[in-house]
Amino acid sequence: FPLPPGPPPLPVVGNVTGIDTEAPWLSYAKWGAVYGDLIYTRLFSQHIVVINSEKVAKALMEHRSHIYSGRPVFATTEPYGMCFNTVLLPYGPSWRLHRRLMHQALRPDAALTYRPAQLQKAHDLLLNLIASPENYLDHLHSGSTIMSTVYGYEPASGKDAFLVVIDKATQIISEDLRPEVAAIINTFPFLLRFPSWFPGMRMNGRAAEARRYAKDWVETTFQYTQQAMAAATFAPCMISDAMRKAEGNSDAGELTEAMKHIAATMFMAGAETTQSTLRVFILAMILYPEVQERAQALIDSIVGTDRLPNFDDRESLPYLDAILRETMRWRPVFPLCIPHATTEDDIYDGYLIPKAGSTIIPNIWAMAHDENKYPNSLEFVPERFIAADGTLTDDRIEYAFGFGRRGCVGKHMADASLWSSMTLMLAIFKFAKAKDANGNDIDIDGRMCTGVAIHPLPFPCSITPRSLEMNADRLAELIRASG
Ligand code: HEM
């Protein structure tokens, strides 16, 4: 059988020159218009199969998930200190153990138990935003529930020491572990042995830095929880629950080691993604003020202004869910998902998808910007998720969380965190363009960073209470009144 169609490769480098390295998802989507939904391409020695449609992604990665649940072997994983990371583990016993332990904590009914903590975090976010709106990026970050639910640790608002370390590691890894970068290193692994002062070898220094940060983050945060567990006041968290259950088991050592790695993975996979989605949300609210006003009018009419919204209001606020879905569609955090790898040869639609080292890239960006499904896809239009009878459509943007057995394990937790943060922020604040010294709006270009996971680059914005009477004391009172 032939390989799927794709652009003709150059000798040695393959298709590397035809790819927009800042936004490869755009190149792959353009190729899709010529070659179809399933494309074969080669970057140096790396065989890559790109999937541009949700239908094909589901047919392969969900209905044949026993074949498509591996991860490519990246020469960068070990030098960057990432061997512990569930996301990059090969399809095998360690990954299965990680997944089982995570599933126990994050399956839909277990995720419900985090709701009070998620609401509390959303309240803290409001208080922090009213106190210092200019630091909104720090507040979005420290507002994550993951540090408290996983480690029992409450990050300080502002620049929390643990979060700073984790941020630095995550940033380097997201930029340098892209399949396009990994393809170069996989082909020329000796590049990683050049000293970092050698021209062009900045990457080497970055690998050493990432390794240091990763070690610090895996060990120090875990030690924090182990020490804190001895204190009578320590509230249970995922680690303390798992460690107590494992006590006395013959495999307690193995479970403790796995928990340490899972906890670090959950933070890496969960906090950054949630924060990035909230950044996209704020960007959209500023660029589409009519959407913001419609949502606020709905909140006022359903919830009123004497209390804050809570999860019981969710069903009555479909437009808020439509905004959440549109946020995830408009600028997906993982435009190229996280690559999978095949563990057997496969034949699909008359084409061979080879086992030998094939990297499978679902182009989530292309799925989210399919003009047949989402006309004017570059515009932010939550109404596309509202049916004629006013209810939500069936399109839950599941593809933004990946596919099959490797699909996101934290999606229920992410969904509730995002909904509560977005809805509560809209209830209290108006998001608008910042003004310059002459009182004119400062334009926002909405540019995104590049990497495996992307977010809008920092932009100036004005975050002010919607009501002139609202201040920190009144907000604290409103939170108390909301129970
Ligand atoms: C807006 C928030 C989030 C988005 C958009 C998101 C998206 C994704 C995507 C696209 C993948 C790759 C799936 C695949 O390979 O097919 C993934 C994997 C993963 N996600 Fe999430 N995620 C989010 C939040 C979270 C949270 C809150 C957690 C944990 C608390 C989490 C934990 C994980 C883990 C552990 C994996 C790796 C699964 C594996 O390799 O088996 N994610 N996520």
Side-chain angles (χ1 to χ4, degrees):
F1 289 92
L3 292 165
L10 294 173
V12 185
V13 295
N15 299 106
V16 87
T17 52
I19 291 179
D20 175 347
T21 48
E22 296 288 299
W25 45 92
L26 298 182
S27 310
Y28 295 144
K30 267 193 210 142
W31 292 351
V34 181
Y35 302 104
D37 290 342
L38 193 68
I39 297 173
Y40 174 81
T41 171
R42 184 165 63 77
L43 295 178
F44 295 98
S45 58
Q46 196 87 42
H47 303 283
I48 294 183
V49 174
V50 179
I51 303 177
N52 272 324
S53 84
E54 192 183 351
K55 183 172 155 248
V56 177
K58 281 189 167 160
L60 297 180
M61 303 171 85
E62 295 192 345
H63 301 147
R64 302 180 189 179
S65 62
H66 59 290
I67 299 178
Y68 288 86
S69 298
R71 290 284 190 216
V73 179
F74 292 133
T76 34
T77 302
E78 199 259 321
Y80 279 71
M82 283 293 114
C83 291
F84 72 86
N85 196 328
T86 318
V87 177
L88 300 171
L89 284 180
Y91 188 54
S94 281
W95 170 79
R96 256 182 226 106
L97 173 64
H98 280 209
R99 226 18 232 217
R100 181 165 60 76
L101 292 171
M102 282 196 198
H103 179 71
Q104 280 165 10
L106 296 171
R107 58 176 199 262
D109 57 329
L112 283 178
T113 61
Y114 302 126
R115 287 200 165 176
Q118 286 170 320
L119 217 47
Q120 163 80 50
K121 280 288 171 192
H123 292 159
D124 292 349
L125 175 61
L126 300 184
L127 290 168
N128 288 332
L129 283 175
I130 209 160
S132 55
E134 66 286 359
N135 297 333
Y136 76 98
L137 290 180
D138 289 338
H139 301 326
L140 293 181
H141 204 2
S142 58
S144 161
T145 26
I146 298 182
M147 279 303 258
S148 46
T149 45
V150 174
Y151 291 105
Y153 174 79
E154 290 297 338
S157 70
K159 297 239 173 283
D160 180 88
F162 278 155
L163 296 188
V164 168
V165 168
I166 293 169
D167 266 356
K168 286 188 173 153
T170 312
Q171 192 190 339
I172 298 177
I173 290 154
S174 175
E175 284 172 15
D176 287 9
L177 265 64
R178 280 179 285 158
E180 302 75 27
V181 177
I184 298 172
I185 299 297
N186 276 4
T187 311
F188 306 113
F190 57 83
L191 287 175
L192 280 168
R193 291 198 296 273
F194 277 86
S196 48
W197 48 261
F198 195 82
M201 285 302 106
R202 185 173 148 261
M203 200 172 180
N204 244 342
R206 281 162 67 85
E209 209 182 341
R211 211 162 46 237
R212 247 190 345 267
Y213 287 137
K215 186 160 189 296
D216 212 21
W217 146 31
V218 172
E219 299 296 335
T220 324
T221 32
F222 195 75
Q223 275 160 17
Y224 163 85
T225 310
Q226 279 183 310
Q227 283 159 9
M229 275 171 72
T233 49
F234 185 71
C237 62
M238 233 186 92
I239 294 182
S240 65
D241 282 352
M243 304 258 298
R244 295 214 162 100
K245 273 189 208 142
E247 263 169 35
N249 283 7
S250 55
D251 55 357
E254 189 198 351
L255 286 176
T256 304
E257 199 59 15
M259 270 318 294
K260 194 194 284 186
H261 293 160
I262 288 166
T265 300
M266 279 175 59
F267 191 81
M268 184 186 174
E272 179 72 13
T273 44
T274 311
Q275 195 219 141
S276 300
T277 309
L278 291 176
R279 279 164 89 155
V280 174
F281 161 75
I282 293 180
L283 179 69
M285 291 305 99
I286 296 174
L287 295 180
Y288 295 86
E290 68 288 356
V291 170
Q292 182 177 177
E293 281 158 23
R294 182 172 171 189
Q296 287 166 335
L298 182 69
I299 296 173
D300 292 349
S301 72
I302 300 287
V303 181
T305 49
D306 297 339
R307 67 170 179 89
L308 288 165
N310 61 45
F311 287 105
D312 293 338
D313 300 310
R314 191 163 179 174
E315 244 178 73
S316 325
L317 299 170
Y319 195 61
L320 273 297
D321 261 296
I323 291 180
L324 170 47
R325 292 181 192 184
E326 182 68 345
T327 302
M328 301 199 46
R329 182 204 69 80
W330 187 52
R331 304 274 170 104
V333 174
F334 286 104
L336 292 179
C337 195
I338 296 170
H340 289 217
T342 43
T343 46
E344 283 172 33
D345 280 355
D346 192 23
I347 306 288
Y348 178 76
D349 208 15
Y351 296 114
L352 169 71
I353 294 161
K355 173 198 165 189
S358 280
T359 296
I360 309 291
I361 300 186
N363 189 350
I364 290 181
W365 193 92
M367 298 172 202
H369 290 271
D370 173 351
E371 283 288 325
N372 294 322
K373 192 169 174 194
Y374 307 113
N376 292 324
S377 71
L378 293 176
E379 298 297 326
F380 189 89
V381 185
E383 285 74 9
R384 42 175 122 247
F385 295 101
I386 304 282
D389 64 358
T391 59
L392 285 160
T393 64
D394 291 340
D395 182 3
R396 294 171 171 271
I397 312 291
E398 293 275 354
Y399 55 80
F401 289 106
F403 300 92
R405 295 180 194 177
R406 294 306 289 236
C408 179
V409 69
K411 64 182 174 187
H412 305 293
M413 188 186 212
D415 171 70
S417 271
L418 291 169
W419 185 87
S420 50
S421 302
M422 290 176 178
T423 307
L424 269 71
M425 281 196 283
L426 281 177
I428 296 299
F429 295 106
K430 175 178 177 182
F431 297 90
K433 287 184 181 165
K435 305 258 185 220
D436 65 16
N438 301 322
N440 298 320
D441 283 348
I442 303 175
D443 268 342
I444 300 178
D445 61 15
R447 274 193 309 133
M448 307 287 282
C449 70
T450 191
V452 178
I454 60 171
H455 55 250
L457 292 170
F459 51 87
C461 69
S462 147
I463 305 177
T464 49
R466 290 172 60 211
S467 152
L468 289 176
E469 281 99 58
M470 185 54 75
N471 58 29
D473 290 339
R474 293 233 162 91
L475 180 57
E477 236 170 70
L478 186 64
I479 289 173
R480 269 195 300 279
S482 307

